[in-house]
Amino acid sequence: MSLCWKQFEKTDIISRQEEEKLFYKVWIECINKFGIQNKRELDSSKTEIFLSYLDICHTNNNNNIKLIFDILTNYNFNLESEIYYIMANLAFLKNFKYNKNKLDKLLSSPIIDDISFNNGIFTIYSQSCGDYSFGVASYFFKDNKAVIDYIKRNKNKLETRCHYNTEFLTEQYPNLYAVTTKCLSSFANYRYYHSYAYDESNDIVIDLCLNAIMNREDYERLQHPIIVSQIQGKDIDTEFANIDKSFYDLSEIDTRLLIIALYKEYMLNQHKNDKPKLLNKVNN
C-alpha cells in the first residue's frame, strides 16, 4: 500500500465507511417508522441506501418527507447536499418547460421553495439554505465540440469523475485552475476529496460533475471546500513530474490531480511533524 493511498484513506475511505453506517441507521429508522421494506436494503451500499432515501423523499405529495428530514437532521445531515442533489437533476433536464413531473418531484423537498429558469440560468430558492443560481455548463460550452462531446460521452458517470473532469477541462483551457479540495459530505462530520475548475478572471467555478457553472462564493457556500491544491492547467504536467514516484501507485489511484493534492497534503503534514517541539522552561 503506497503512502498516497494511506493519505487518501485517512479522509475519504474512512468518511465513506462512517457515512454508510449513518445512512443505514437512517434507513432502519425509516423502515421502523413508515413500514418501508425492501429485501435488498440489508445488503445495500451507502450509495444504494441514499438512492432509496431519495426515491422516498422526492415523491410528490409524500406526507412523510418532513419526518424523514427530521430523522436525517438528528444525524447531522448536511442540508446543502440536498441542494447539490437538486442541481444535479436540473442541469441534465432536456427541456425545463416540459418536465413538470420531474420538477414537482424536486419541489417536494421540504427545503426547496421554488425553482426558476431564465436564459440558461437556474435559480433554486430555499429559506433553509439560501438561494443558489447556476448556469448549465453544456449550454455555455455549446460552441466547444470537445467539451460537449465529453459531457455526452460521460453523462452517466460525470458525478463520479471529478478529477478526470477537471483535468480534461483544464487541458481545453490551460489558464483555468484545477482546484482539489476536501468538501463537506452528506453528513456534516465528514469530508471527501473533490476537484473542480476555477476561472480566476471571472471568479467562477466550473464543476462538470454537476454540469454547472457558479460564482465562487455561492459554490463555496454549497460545498464548504478546504483547498488542498490549486494549480493552473498548464502546470499540471510539471507538478506531477516533480512528485517522488515512490509516493504513489497508479494501480491504486490513477488521477493526477488527486495524487498531486495528496502529495501536497502529505508533505505539509510531514513538515508539521518535523518542527522542533518547544520545551517547557524548567525552574531550578
Side-chain angles (χ1 to χ4, degrees):
M1 184 182 296
S2 67
L3 289 171
C4 183
W5 180 263
K6 289 179 180 178
Q7 188 66 36
F8 176 73
E9 191 174 42
K10 288 178 184 178
T11 294
D12 211 283
I13 300 298
I14 292 175
S15 289
R16 291 179 192 276
Q17 289 173 345
E18 293 304 311
E19 282 208 321
E20 187 162 342
K21 294 176 185 176
L22 288 174
F23 272 120
Y24 180 75
K25 289 180 180 179
V26 170
W27 183 245
I28 293 300
E29 284 202 35
C30 288
I31 290 174
N32 292 336
K33 186 177 287 290
F34 309 121
I36 302 160
Q37 294 188 15
N38 186 327
K39 292 179 181 179
R40 291 192 311 109
E41 294 310 322
L42 293 177
D43 298 319
S44 292
S45 68
K46 180 208 87 169
T47 302
E48 290 171 323
I49 294 171
F50 193 21
L51 290 174
S52 295
Y53 141 75
L54 291 176
D55 285 340
I56 299 165
C57 283
H58 302 100
T59 302
N60 196 32
N61 297 322
N62 187 329
N63 295 325
N64 295 331
I65 293 177
K66 186 180 184 305
L67 293 175
I68 293 172
F69 266 81
D70 287 343
I71 292 172
L72 285 164
T73 302
N74 289 338
Y75 289 95
N76 208 14
F77 183 68
N78 170 26
L79 287 179
E80 278 84 5
S81 65
E82 173 74 350
I83 301 289
Y84 188 99
Y85 167 80
I86 301 294
M87 288 177 61
N89 277 268
L90 290 173
F92 289 103
L93 289 180
K94 289 184 178 180
N95 191 314
F96 179 75
K97 293 180 180 179
Y98 299 102
N99 281 275
K100 186 178 184 304
N101 290 339
K102 182 73 169 180
L103 292 172
D104 285 345
K105 186 175 181 180
L106 297 178
L107 285 167
S108 71
S109 170
I111 70 163
I112 304 300
D113 300 311
D114 201 2
I115 296 169
S116 67
F117 180 73
N118 292 292
N119 298 321
I121 302 292
F122 280 104
T123 300
I124 300 169
Y125 302 92
S126 170
Q127 290 186 1
S128 301
C129 297
D131 300 341
Y132 288 87
S133 293
F134 69 96
V136 178
S138 53
Y139 176 85
F140 285 92
F141 285 108
K142 60 187 177 184
D143 294 328
N144 186 318
K145 186 177 184 302
V147 175
I148 296 303
D149 286 347
Y150 179 87
I151 292 173
K152 288 180 178 178
R153 187 169 63 251
N154 296 287
K155 180 179 177 180
N156 294 328
K157 52 186 178 181
L158 278 176
E159 193 171 353
T160 62
R161 292 175 56 88
C162 67
H163 311 299
Y164 298 104
N165 296 343
T166 303
E167 186 163 355
F168 167 79
L169 203 55
T170 55
E171 286 172 355
Q172 298 296 308
Y173 302 95
N175 287 327
L176 290 179
Y177 282 89
V179 185
T180 303
T181 68
K182 290 193 287 191
C183 287
L184 207 60
S185 198
S186 299
F187 293 92
N189 295 334
Y190 303 106
R191 290 185 175 271
Y192 67 100
Y193 291 101
H194 182 65
S195 290
Y196 52 85
Y198 174 59
D199 178 350
E200 184 178 38
S201 60
N202 294 300
D203 199 26
I204 57 173
V205 166
I206 307 160
D207 189 340
L208 290 187
C209 288
L210 287 170
N211 191 23
I213 298 175
M214 299 178 69
N215 71 63
R216 178 186 53 79
E217 185 177 340
D218 280 354
Y219 188 84
E220 291 180 350
R221 185 163 54 92
L222 176 72
Q223 293 281 64
H224 305 276
I226 298 172
I227 295 176
V228 180
S229 172
Q230 180 167 311
I231 53 176
Q232 283 186 295
K234 59 188 178 184
D235 296 326
I236 292 174
D237 288 345
T238 302
E239 289 257 8
F240 186 70
N242 288 334
I243 296 176
D244 186 338
K245 289 182 173 54
S246 66
F247 175 73
Y248 61 89
D249 181 343
L250 290 176
S251 68
E252 295 172 341
I253 297 174
D254 64 353
T255 53
R256 297 195 302 172
L257 293 182
L258 181 56
I259 292 172
I260 291 169
L262 290 168
Y263 185 69
K264 288 181 177 180
E265 193 172 38
Y266 172 78
M267 294 303 294
L268 179 62
N269 290 339
Q270 290 297 107
H271 177 69
K272 288 178 180 177
N273 292 336
D274 289 342
K275 284 184 177 180
K277 295 180 180 179
L278 295 175
L279 297 177
N280 291 325
K281 184 176 180 180
V282 178
N283 294 320
N284 294 326

